[in-house]
Amino acid sequence: MSQTVDRALSILPLLAQGPADLGQVAERLGVHKSTALRLLRTLHEHGLVHRQQDQRYRLGARLFALAQEAVENLDIREIAHPYLTALNERIGHTVHLAVYEEGEVLYIDKVESRYPVRMYSRIGKPVAITVAAVAKLLLADLPEPERRAVAGKLDYPPYTSRSTPNAAAFLKELATVREQGWATDLGGHEESINCVGAPIRGADGRVVAAMSVSAPNVVVTAEELLSLLPQVRGTADAISREYSGEAPTKEASA
Amino acid sequence: MSQTVDRALSILPLLAQGPADLGQVAERLGVHKSTALRLLRTLHEHGLVHRQQDQRYRLGARLFALAQEAVENLDIREIAHPYLTALNERIGHTVHLAVYEEGEVLYIDKVESRYPVRMYSRIGKPVAITVAAVAKLLLADLPEPERRAVAGKLDYPPYTSRSTPNAAAFLKELATVREQGWATDLGGHEESINCVGAPIRGADGRVVAAMSVSAPNVVVTAEELLSLLPQVRGTADAISREYSGEAPTKEASA
DNA sequence: AATGAGCGTTGCACATCCCGCAACGTCCAC
DNA sequence: GTGGACGTTGCGGGATGTGCAACGCTCATT
C-alpha cells in the first residue's frame, strides 16, 4: 500500500536469511543502491538493522526486544503459564502452548522437564502446521471458508509415513478434531514423537490457543499418552475458564 | 532519513506497549488518521502488526519468526573474527574461538601470528575438554544436571602433571570459572603452554562461545600472560555486545 | 425507533518527499 | 600504480504520500 514502507519492510526477511551488503540488498529489492541505502539507514536509526564490522547489514537488537515485548504482552500466555507448569510437574512431559495468526501457527510457550523456557531458541518458531496437534486444533476452529483456503495453500511435507499427505486428508482430520474437541499427532512429524492436545477457548467459545503434551514413544506408548488426555483437557478447560473471566481455580496449583 | 518509513517504524515501539486503535496511533504519531491507516496496512501486510477481534492493532507474529531466523543465522565466527585478529595484532599470541555442541567443544576459529587458519583445519578435532580454558568456560555455563552428566562421562587423560585428574576436580574448577568469569589452562595440556580465556555471551546472558590466548612459557611467563586478562576480557565483552546487537565499538580496530 | 457520536474507511487534489542518475571518495587487489 | 568494487552524496523530475472532507457503519443513548 505504501511503496516506501513496503520496500523497507521487505528488507527484513531478506536480512533474516543472513547478513548482506548494500549491493545485494539493492539488487534483491530491485531498486537503486542509493534508495536501498536510505531505507537501510532508516531501519538502522530504529535499531531494526545493525551494521557489522565489514559494513554488511544484519537484523538488529531492537527487533529481538520488540519480539520479546510482543510475546510478553500476549495475555493468554501469562494466564496459561502457571497451568502449563503445574501440568508439566504432574506428568513430566513437554508442554506446548500455541496460537494461530495470519496463516501461521506459532509456539508461544513451552515447559520442558526441569528446563526453563529458552525464549529465543524455541518460542516463535512456526509449527509444522499440517501435522502438529496444536495446529489441527487451531485450524479446526476457523470459519469454513478460511479453513479451506488455508488448507489449500499449504505444503504437505512428508516428514514421516504418517504425515498428513494432502489438503483433503487434512480437512477430514480437522473435521474429526472439531467434533471430538481434542487432537493428536502420532509420529506425524518425527517418527518417535507423539502428542496429544486440547483447545483453549475464549468467553465466546472460539479457540484462542491450543496446548499439547509431547513424549517420545520409547518413554510412553501412544496409548499411555492418550490416557493423559483427561488431564490435558482439564488443564485446557481451566485456562479457558480463567481467560474468560472466571476466578482462577485450584487447577494451576494442583 | 525517510519520513514515511520513519513514521511506520515508530508505530512498532508504540504498539509494543500494548494494543492501540487507529485513532490512538494517529494521535501519538502526530499524523492524520488516513495516513496512520495506510502505514498500519502496510505493516499488516508484512505481518509485523496484527489486528485483533476488537480491531485494535498489536505486534504481529512475523516479528517472532524474524527474530527466530535471525538468531539462528547469527554467525559468531563472522562477528568475532575481526576482534580476534585485532587482539592478535596487539599482543602477538595465538587466539582461539570455540563453541560447545552435543557434549563436545570445538575450535571454530584461530588466529596465529600473521596466519589466519580456516575452520576446516580444526573442526572435527575436539578440544582437550578437561583442561582447555575455552572448554571450562563453555561447560561452566551449562545447566547443573547437564554439566554433571557431561563431567561424569568424560575421560581425564593425564596429559601432564597439572591436568585435571577427575570429575570432582573438574566440577570444582568449573564452579570457580563460573564465579570469576574467566579461565586458565596452565600447562594442563602441554607442559610448556599456558592459556587464558574469557566467555562470549548472547543477549540473554548465556555463554555462546569462548575465546582464549595461548603462549609458550619460554616466551611469556604465566604471570605475564595473566596480565593480558583485561585485554582478553575486553575483547570477549566487545564481541558479546556486537553479537547481542549493540553498535560495534572501536575494540576491533584499536 | 430515531438520533448522534465515535470510529474506520474512501477518493481526491496538492505538493512533499522519494526515486534514480551520475559523479565522487575510498579501499583493496592485482 | 591502476583498475574495479563498493559506499556515499547532491540534485532535478515526478511518482507517491499526505491531509482534507465526506461516507458508512456500529453502538449507546433518548
Side-chain angles (χ1 to χ4, degrees):
Chain A
M1 288 268 136
S2 168
Q3 188 188 65
T4 317
V5 177
D6 185 45
R7 286 172 170 174
L9 297 183
S10 299
I11 293 177
L12 297 179
L14 195 152
L15 289 185
Q17 297 168 16
D21 61 31
L22 179 62
Q24 293 169 334
V25 171
E27 188 192 6
R28 300 190 58 179
L29 218 56
V31 300
H32 195 270
K33 278 187 304 179
S34 60
T35 303
L37 180 65
R38 236 170 319 105
L39 299 177
L40 280 166
R41 274 219 255 256
T42 310
L43 290 168
H44 181 75
E45 279 185 6
H46 285 260
L48 297 186
V49 150
H50 173 68
R51 199 151 199 198
Q52 42 189 38
Q53 242 73 21
D54 57 5
Q55 293 203 322
R56 292 193 304 164
Y57 296 91
R58 64 175 174 86
L59 295 184
R62 169 112 354 175
L63 192 61
F64 307 126
L66 280 175
Q68 186 156 18
E69 271 188 270
V71 80
E72 279 172 3
N73 280 339
L74 292 180
D75 43 356
I76 182 63
R77 181 171 173 275
E78 237 173 280
I79 292 172
H81 192 76
Y83 292 91
L84 304 183
T85 304
L87 181 64
N88 168 264
E89 276 170 13
R90 218 156 60 225
I91 65 180
H93 307 305
T94 300
V95 180
H96 281 287
L97 180 70
V99 295
Y100 168 83
E101 195 175 307
E102 314 278 339
E104 284 183 336
V105 173
L106 297 161
Y107 289 124
I108 58 171
D109 203 358
K110 173 182 184 176
V111 184
E112 203 165 2
S113 358
R114 311 278 180 274
Y115 293 103
V117 178
R118 296 176 181 179
M119 163 72 195
Y120 290 129
S121 61
R122 315 261 174 166
I123 297 178
K125 199 173 176 180
V127 173
I129 196 168
T130 60
V131 295
V134 289
K136 295 174 186 171
L137 290 161
L138 291 163
L139 293 181
D141 186 62
L142 291 180
E144 203 275 341
E146 188 175 354
R147 189 169 65 237
R148 187 168 295 275
V150 170
K153 279 183 197 155
L154 290 176
D155 287 330
Y156 293 85
Y159 304 107
T160 77
S161 62
R162 285 183 285 180
S163 297
T164 308
N166 52 48
F170 192 46
L171 286 168
K172 194 177 165 194
E173 171 80 357
L174 294 186
T176 306
V177 166
R178 194 177 46 222
E179 197 159 317
Q180 69 190 7
W182 51 274
T184 61
D185 163 24
L186 301 177
H189 185 44
E190 296 190 36
E191 197 67 61
S192 63
I193 304 282
N194 297 318
C195 306
V196 54
I200 295 165
R201 299 174 186 278
D204 55 0
R206 289 200 18 161
V207 174
V208 296
M211 60 174 292
S212 72
V213 170
S214 312
N217 60 15
V218 295
V219 177
V220 279
T221 65
E223 290 73 33
E224 288 168 340
L225 188 61
L226 276 179
S227 74
L228 297 177
L229 179 59
Q231 295 188 63
V232 177
R233 296 187 81 173
T235 302
D237 291 346
I239 297 170
S240 299
R241 281 192 296 275
E242 181 171 345
Y243 184 74
S244 301
E246 272 187 37
T249 64
K250 305 292 181 199
E251 198 76 33
S253 50
Chain B
M1 284 268 142
S2 168
Q3 188 189 63
T4 316
V5 178
D6 185 46
R7 285 173 170 173
L9 297 183
S10 299
I11 294 177
L12 297 179
L14 196 152
L15 289 184
Q17 298 168 13
D21 62 31
L22 179 62
Q24 294 169 335
V25 171
E27 188 192 7
R28 300 190 57 177
L29 264 186
V31 300
H32 195 270
K33 278 187 304 178
S34 60
T35 303
L37 179 65
R38 232 170 326 102
L39 298 177
L40 280 166
R41 272 219 254 255
T42 311
L43 288 167
H44 180 77
E45 278 186 6
H46 286 261
L48 296 187
V49 306
H50 176 68
R51 199 147 197 200
Q52 40 190 32
Q53 273 86 352
D54 57 5
Q55 293 203 321
R56 290 192 306 165
Y57 295 92
R58 62 170 174 80
L59 294 183
R62 177 120 324 168
L63 220 44
F64 311 129
L66 278 177
Q68 172 74 22
E69 239 186 302
V71 165
E72 280 174 3
N73 284 325
L74 268 194
D75 192 343
I76 314 157
R77 182 165 21 100
E78 256 181 77
I79 292 172
H81 192 77
Y83 292 91
L84 304 183
T85 305
L87 181 65
N88 168 266
E89 276 170 12
R90 218 158 59 226
I91 66 181
H93 309 304
T94 299
V95 179
H96 281 287
L97 179 70
V99 295
Y100 170 83
E101 202 174 303
E102 311 277 338
E104 283 185 337
V105 173
L106 301 164
Y107 289 122
I108 58 171
D109 203 0
K110 174 181 181 177
V111 186
E112 208 162 357
S113 354
R114 310 276 179 275
Y115 299 103
V117 176
R118 292 250 170 219
M119 57 173 285
Y120 316 106
S121 63
R122 277 283 181 168
I123 218 169
K125 222 175 184 181
V127 173
I129 197 170
T130 59
V131 295
V134 288
K136 295 174 186 171
L137 289 161
L138 290 164
L139 294 180
D141 187 62
L142 292 179
E144 202 274 341
E146 190 175 353
R147 190 168 64 237
R148 187 169 295 274
V150 171
K153 279 182 199 155
L154 289 175
D155 287 330
Y156 293 84
Y159 304 108
T160 75
S161 63
R162 284 184 286 181
S163 297
T164 309
N166 53 47
F170 192 45
L171 286 169
K172 194 176 165 194
E173 172 79 357
L174 294 186
T176 306
V177 165
R178 194 176 49 225
E179 197 159 319
Q180 69 191 7
W182 51 274
T184 61
D185 163 24
L186 301 176
H189 186 43
E190 297 189 37
E191 198 66 62
S192 64
I193 304 284
N194 297 318
C195 306
V196 55
I200 295 164
R201 299 174 187 277
D204 55 0
R206 290 198 15 162
V207 174
V208 295
M211 60 174 292
S212 71
V213 169
S214 312
N217 60 17
V218 295
V219 177
V220 279
T221 65
E223 290 74 32
E224 287 168 340
L225 188 61
L226 277 179
S227 74
L228 298 177
L229 179 59
Q231 295 188 63
V232 177
R233 297 186 79 174
T235 303
D237 290 347
I239 296 170
S240 299
R241 282 193 294 273
E242 181 169 348
Y243 182 76
S244 301
E246 272 188 37
T249 64
K250 304 293 179 200
E251 198 74 35
S253 49

